[in-house]
Each structure stands twice: as C-alpha cells, then as structure tokens.
Amino acid sequence: MSADIKVPTLGESVASATIARWIKKVGEAVAADEPIVELETDKVTVEVNAPEAGVIAEIAAEEGAEVQPGDLLGRVDANGAAVTPKKEAAEVDAPKTGVNAQQEAPGPVARPGVGALPAAAKMMAEKNVNPAEVTGTAKDGRISKGDVLAFVNKPAAAPAAPAAKAPRAADVREERVKMTRLRKTIANRLKEAQNTAAMLTTFNEVDMSAVMGLRASYRDTFEKKHKGIRLGFNGFFVKAVCAALAEFPAVNAEIDGDEIVYKNFVNMGIAVGGANGLVVPVIRDAETKSIAEIEAEIAGFAKRAKEGTLKLDELSGGSFSITNGGVYGSLMSTPIINPPQSGILGMHKIQDRPVVVDGKIEIRPMMYLALSYDHRIVDGREAVSFLVRVKESIEDPRRLLLAI
C-alpha cells in the first residue's frame, strides 16, 4: 500500500513553491512524520513530512520544479523494503580463503552519502554544498557533520593545465548563483512599492536617555521576573508606535481599490534577518500586549528566522512595520513600505551627539527615526505628527503608562 506525498497548504497569499531539496531518495526508509523534502516559498522554507512509515517509492517532482498546493511530490510504500546500496568496486574483490578470511571483519567503508544526518543537512544547506559530492562515513553511508567539514576544508585540487588552443574566456573571479524565490519576491515587492505607492519619508531624532536609563535600572529585575526575556528597545518602540497609530489611524490603514480600509487593531511587522534573507514576522494585536510579551515574541521570531523555521502564518497579515537598521550600524535610511501597508518606521544607530537642552549644549544618546509613508492615504501633517508622537513617547516613557 502506498501513500501520496502532496504539497500542503502554503498559507495566506502563497500560491506556489519550489522544490529546494529532497532530503530522502528513492529506496530510502522513512519514519512517519520524518522530513523528506524541503519546499521554498517566497516567504519561508517549508518541510514536508512522510505521511506514514515506509520506503520512498517514487519522486514525482524533481528539485527546482515549481509546485502548487495539492500537487503530487512522490509516494511512500508502506510495505516496501529499503534498497541496499551497491558495494563499491574496491569491495568486490576475489573471495578470501583460509585463516585470513575467518579473522578479517569488514570495516566501515566510505561511500557517496545516501542521506544525511540532520546537523549535516543543515550545514550543507548553509554552505551550499551538493550532497552528491560528499562521501558519507556514518551508518548506512549517511553523511555526518564531520564528513561535511572534511569536504569543505579539503585542499582545492590543482587546476588542470588549459589546452593550448582553447584559452579560457570566462572571468574565474565571478560566480553566478541562482536567486532564491525569497530573494526574487523581496526584489519584486520592493519594486512594486516604489511603482505603486506615492512614497515619501519624513525624519526626526529622538533622545534615548530616558529609555536607556529605565532599561539600565530594571534590566536585571525584568529578566528575572520574566524568566530570561531580555529588556530591549523594541518593546518601547512597538508600544510607542501603537499609541501613535491610535491617534493617526491613516498610517495603519491600506488602500483596497477605491476604498480605504482602517484597522481597529495593530498587527506589527518586525523585520528580522533570516537564513535566506530579510523576513517580517507579525506580532498580532500588538496594542493589547505588554512590553514583556512583545520582547518574548520578537526573541522567538529572531531565533526561528535564523533556523529557517518560521511558519507561514507568522509572516502574513501585518498592518504596519518596524525595521532597525541600527543593529547593522546604519545612521540614517529611507525604508521602503511593505505593500499593502501604508507606513514603516525605521530605527537607526544610537550615537552620542551634542544637542541643546534648556539652552545648554549636552552630549546625549540620539537616534534618527524615519517614517516612510504612502502619500496617497497619509497626509504630510499626519506623518510628521505621528513621528513626533513616537518621539515624545520614547523621550518620556511615562506617557505610555498614562496614555497621553
């Protein structure tokens, strides 16, 4: 009896995927719910698990093929037997006889890997290593992490001498790598935003002294009370933005045809760096959550983004976004809105600068803020006033507690 392996539902607004890698090959044994193939969508990488235990009987769609939900990927034979890899030529010598034949026990034989252990598979994906080129020495010829390290670190083979009549024309200093679906989608969406929205950016600067002092005073107590959750700056900015959006709802709205859709909630997108590029997971109903809850969700997003395990429903439905180029050292930038959203806040590097306070020059930790917005729906007065409210809440966090 065989069971079909099909493309699962890929989530909101995701219509297709590309087969990134077959983890299992035809003839290999699999356990129920064991990952057997990776699909790459325009948002995240998805693992498809075996529907039941058995043997991979058929692969219906090869790596690189584009598939849609419900398409057949392959089949698992519940009654099949795993295929035993053929012996290498070195093993098929004339049979030994006499005492030596009785005393010699067969040792492990390195051969091209027929599968990879999880840690090895992850490392090969990160280092763009073709599994077919790696010799597996683990049980049943599977590739171990050590095998991958040995492959990556082995000395490069000496290049063959070029033929006298065939000079090389290509520049060996160049390398061509096919764009991933995620990278292509990021490029298309950013260009779509520039082509569709009447996008402008307004700037302000914020004195971080109050938030930094509050954080320094309560960081240890906060982390202890909330079981390891660290108190960062993101929680303050999310709360400040939610308060400003309540006052200026157009910045949290979107255009749908000839209608403006106003949101009575804030689904806050937080841009984080992932294994395959920038992703924007969403904190749902952020206006109802505490700073501790917000910091916990952001920490979870960052961890899963690096591991490539974010779920599709975590990446959809945002109504406003925040991006922090300051973690990479950016002093000022003009972020691009994430359609169909109408606004995005850009945070930047905190830098000590001389500012005038009560008629005196003082050195304060300052951050430039940037709000990019769709001028079709957000007026300049609203955009500037929104950014001023965010600035005021950060410079005096008591305003957040008093909702003023």
Side-chain angles (χ1 to χ4, degrees):
M1 183 179 70
S2 63
D4 291 344
I5 309 165
K6 292 189 175 182
V7 180
T9 301
L10 298 172
E12 178 185 346
S13 75
V14 181
S16 64
T18 299
I19 299 178
R21 180 172 69 99
W22 275 95
I23 302 171
K24 295 289 186 178
K25 308 299 182 186
V26 171
E28 285 194 63
V30 295
D33 294 325
E34 182 180 3
I36 52 177
V37 59
E38 286 183 356
L39 304 180
E40 186 181 73
T41 75
D42 55 12
K43 292 184 176 181
V44 71
T45 298
V46 179
E47 287 185 342
V48 179
N49 298 334
E52 58 182 75
V55 172
I56 302 295
E58 177 188 354
I59 289 178
E62 298 295 335
E63 293 180 359
E66 186 168 330
V67 291
Q68 298 177 345
D71 285 356
L72 181 67
L73 295 172
R75 291 185 174 86
V76 173
D77 186 353
N79 301 317
V83 176
T84 302
K86 294 182 179 180
K87 290 186 176 182
E88 298 292 328
E91 298 180 75
V92 192
D93 291 330
K96 299 180 184 293
T97 58
V99 176
N100 289 338
Q102 298 174 3
Q103 293 179 344
E104 290 187 11
V109 179
R111 55 182 183 271
V114 296
L117 299 175
K122 181 179 180 182
M123 179 174 288
M124 287 189 288
E126 292 174 347
K127 297 184 177 295
N128 198 26
V129 172
N130 183 355
E133 298 178 1
V134 182
T135 299
T137 61
K139 185 178 179 181
D140 298 327
R142 293 169 70 87
I143 299 171
S144 68
K145 187 175 180 180
D147 296 330
V148 181
L149 289 171
F151 175 82
V152 171
N153 295 325
K154 71 179 181 181
K165 295 184 179 181
R168 298 179 66 178
D171 190 339
V172 295
R173 296 171 296 176
E174 295 181 349
E175 180 182 5
R176 291 180 179 267
V177 179
K178 187 176 179 64
M179 291 178 70
T180 64
R181 284 179 61 90
L182 177 60
R183 177 54 58 187
K184 286 190 289 186
T185 299
I186 291 173
N188 291 337
R189 287 180 67 84
L190 294 179
K191 192 59 184 174
E192 175 193 349
Q194 289 183 320
N195 292 340
T196 303
M199 193 165 61
L200 292 178
T201 303
T202 184
F203 298 92
N204 212 317
E205 62 178 351
V206 58
D207 184 345
M208 296 292 292
S209 299
V211 165
M212 292 178 70
L214 187 62
R215 181 170 176 256
S217 297
Y218 294 103
R219 178 168 44 197
D220 294 340
T221 304
F222 181 93
E223 188 169 346
K224 183 177 180 180
K225 177 175 177 56
H226 297 290
K227 300 178 181 179
I229 300 300
R230 299 183 62 186
L231 179 59
F233 298 122
N234 286 321
F236 292 101
F237 275 94
V238 170
K239 295 300 290 184
V241 167
C242 287
L245 290 175
E247 188 174 351
F248 303 98
V251 189
N252 193 45
E254 66 179 64
I255 293 177
D256 185 9
D258 59 355
E259 297 179 330
I260 297 175
V261 182
Y262 290 95
K263 314 289 179 64
N264 295 320
F265 57 86
V266 179
N267 284 351
M268 187 70 70
I270 303 293
V272 295
N276 299 313
L278 188 73
V279 291
V280 189
V282 176
I283 302 173
R284 302 191 183 280
D285 300 314
E287 78 282 5
T288 68
K289 296 180 177 177
S290 68
I291 287 180
E293 291 172 321
I294 291 168
E295 291 287 2
E297 285 201 42
I298 293 175
F301 289 154
K303 181 176 183 293
R304 293 194 295 282
K306 290 179 181 179
E307 295 171 347
T309 58
L310 281 169
K311 296 180 181 178
L312 288 166
D313 58 3
E314 294 179 302
L315 298 166
S316 59
S319 61
F320 186 89
S321 294
I322 294 177
T323 182
N324 186 0
V327 297
Y328 304 110
S330 173
L331 187 61
M332 184 179 290
S333 66
T334 55
I336 299 178
I337 60 177
N338 185 23
Q341 298 171 24
S342 295
I344 181 171
L345 178 73
M347 298 165 56
H348 298 92
K349 179 182 179 182
I350 300 172
Q351 187 178 62
D352 286 343
R353 292 198 294 272
V355 295
V356 178
V357 180
D358 296 328
K360 298 179 181 179
I361 297 177
E362 296 185 11
I363 303 297
R364 294 291 183 94
M366 304 297 293
M367 175 194 289
Y368 288 118
L369 296 179
L371 173 70
S372 292
Y373 61 98
D374 189 345
H375 207 357
R376 295 177 302 167
I377 184 174
V378 181
D379 293 333
R381 177 188 61 82
E382 291 177 296
V384 172
S385 299
F386 168 89
L387 200 54
V388 168
R389 290 295 180 271
V390 173
K391 167 188 170 70
E392 291 173 343
S393 294
I394 296 299
E395 291 186 338
D396 185 1
R398 294 172 298 181
R399 300 175 66 98
L400 296 175
L401 295 175
L402 299 175
I404 58 174

